[in-house]
Amino acid sequence: TLFRSAEGTLLLLSLVVSCAVGLAMALMSNVFHFCVIALPLIFALSILAVITDSILTKSVPLSDTGAMLGICASIHPLTRTIGPTIGGILYQRYGVTSFGCLHCVVDIFLIVYLLKNKFNQKEQKRK
């Protein structure tokens, strides 16, 4: 299972750090605050990217590993294309704090989903 491995723990850790960064991003008021949260943001996003790539490549047969790595690599340019549009709309309508709020909300949903699956797996093993 995912949570018995170090990958599951690292995935959850990166989401918790990312959620804290999102909350800090929503509360920041100057450039110094951004500089303080930049390092944890880079840490969380880097760990998240590496762990998700690792989990996804392990979930497919060995012959399809290259295809999965290609799909994982195509996500980055996609977010660089769509991200500025979504960011511009959020900034124009809701201001800078919307970035942190959205970041935090998405991370909370992911954490709840992962923990829910963890408990469901434990219950299924008991039966």
Side-chain angles (χ1 to χ4, degrees):
T1 63
L2 180 64
F3 286 96
R4 290 186 178 217
S5 66
E7 291 175 339
T9 305
L10 281 174
L11 181 64
L12 200 56
L13 172 71
S14 69
L15 285 173
V16 169
V17 170
S18 182
C19 185
V21 166
L23 185 60
M25 198 181 295
L27 299 173
M28 71 179 183
S29 60
N30 58 33
V31 175
F32 177 73
H33 292 151
F34 180 74
C35 292
V36 170
I37 65 171
L39 286 177
L41 177 67
I42 293 167
F43 168 78
L45 293 177
S46 298
I47 296 295
L48 186 65
V50 170
I51 295 300
T52 53
D53 287 357
S54 174
I55 291 170
L56 288 172
T57 54
K58 287 182 180 179
S59 68
V60 296
L62 196 58
S63 60
D64 293 336
T65 301
M68 184 55 76
L69 285 173
I71 292 169
C72 291
S74 69
I75 297 300
H76 184 68
L78 179 66
T79 56
R80 289 182 66 180
T81 303
I82 297 172
T85 304
I86 295 171
I89 292 169
L90 285 173
Y91 177 70
Q92 188 175 25
R93 292 193 180 177
Y94 306 108
V96 175
T97 58
S98 65
F99 301 136
C101 292
L102 180 65
H103 191 140
C104 193
V105 167
V106 169
D107 287 340
I108 287 172
F109 279 124
L110 288 172
I111 290 168
V112 168
Y113 176 77
L114 287 174
L115 291 177
K116 183 179 174 186
N117 280 347
K118 177 183 176 181
F119 292 125
N120 285 343
Q121 288 175 357
K122 283 184 180 180
E123 288 180 14
Q124 288 176 355
K125 284 186 178 183
R126 288 181 188 168
K127 294 179 182 180

